[in-house]
């Protein structure tokens, strides 16, 4: 359900840092929203130096941008808490000089306009009933992800 795209300059993040960031984003999303962790996706994009601009000028400072797509319906206080925790966790994992180098945006999508694992998604909070109603093969497939 949630998909987080992490963008940095080419070579900025090591494989170990990416693994840590993906784990932290997944953990935080699951803890704050209550959604199963196996729904979370974290995708890393690397941009070549000279291909990233801010204010119309090439980026010359350390920057990591996290853009998440999540289901609509979460409380504003939870979304704010989640992005703050993610920004702190990404900054720590990436060992940035300043937390101002990490930007986190969250965009909401209506659940009924999303299909994952071959099924239209439930409203937030309806995951247990939705999961229970899935064919056993699909439920088993999803639940073994990340283990």
């Amino acid at each position: 359900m949630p998909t987080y795209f992490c963008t940095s300059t080419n070579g900025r993040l090591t494989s170990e840092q990416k693994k840590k960031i993906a784990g932290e984003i997944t953990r935080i999303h699951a803890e704050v929203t209550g959604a199963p962790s196996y729904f979370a996706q974290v995708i890393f994009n690397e941009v070549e130096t000279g291909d990233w601009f801010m204010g119309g000028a090439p980026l010359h400072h350390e920057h990591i941008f996290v853009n998440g797509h999540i289901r609509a319906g979460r409380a504003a206080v939870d979304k704010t808490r989640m992005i703050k925790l993610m920004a702190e966790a990404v900054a720590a994992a990436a060992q940035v000089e300043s937390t101002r180098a990490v930007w986190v945006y969250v965009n909401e999508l209506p659940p009924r306009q999303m299909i994952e694992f071959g099924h239209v998604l439930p409203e937030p909070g309806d995951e247990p009933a939705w999961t229970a109603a899935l064919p056993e093969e699909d439920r088993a497939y999803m639940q073994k992800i990340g283990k």
Side-chain angles (χ1 to χ4, degrees):
M1 289 174 197
T3 301
Y4 292 92
F5 297 92
C6 299
T7 304
S8 63
T9 53
N10 192 25
R12 167 59 185 87
L13 299 172
T14 66
S15 294
E16 192 57 38
Q17 287 173 320
K18 289 177 183 180
K19 183 177 178 179
K20 178 74 172 168
I21 289 168
E24 287 296 286
I25 288 173
T26 299
R27 179 189 62 76
I28 291 165
H29 184 92
E31 285 179 7
V32 173
T33 67
S37 62
Y38 54 78
F39 282 127
Q41 297 185 87
V42 180
I43 301 167
F44 290 88
N45 298 306
E46 293 187 334
V47 178
E48 293 295 328
T49 302
D51 287 345
W52 191 339
F53 291 73
M54 291 182 80
L59 182 69
H60 291 293
H61 62 275
E62 180 175 66
H63 193 76
I64 299 170
F65 179 59
V66 179
N67 184 2
H69 298 284
I70 66 171
R71 285 178 294 154
R74 308 280 183 204
V77 67
D78 291 334
K79 290 180 285 191
T80 298
R81 181 171 157 251
M82 185 171 65
I83 64 173
K84 285 181 177 181
L85 289 170
M86 285 182 185
E88 291 168 4
V90 169
Q95 300 171 330
V96 297
E97 291 180 24
S98 168
T99 56
R100 71 175 161 257
V102 179
W103 294 12
V104 180
Y105 292 8
V106 172
N107 304 299
E108 295 183 301
L109 301 168
R112 299 295 179 206
Q113 294 179 10
M114 302 165 74
I115 289 181
E116 292 184 5
F117 301 112
H119 302 277
V120 174
L121 298 181
E123 295 294 324
D126 291 344
E127 296 91 356
W130 178 82
T131 302
L134 293 175
E136 175 57 36
E137 183 179 342
D138 291 346
R139 193 169 44 249
Y141 176 83
M142 288 187 310
Q143 292 173 341
K144 72 178 179 182
I145 293 173
K147 294 184 178 180

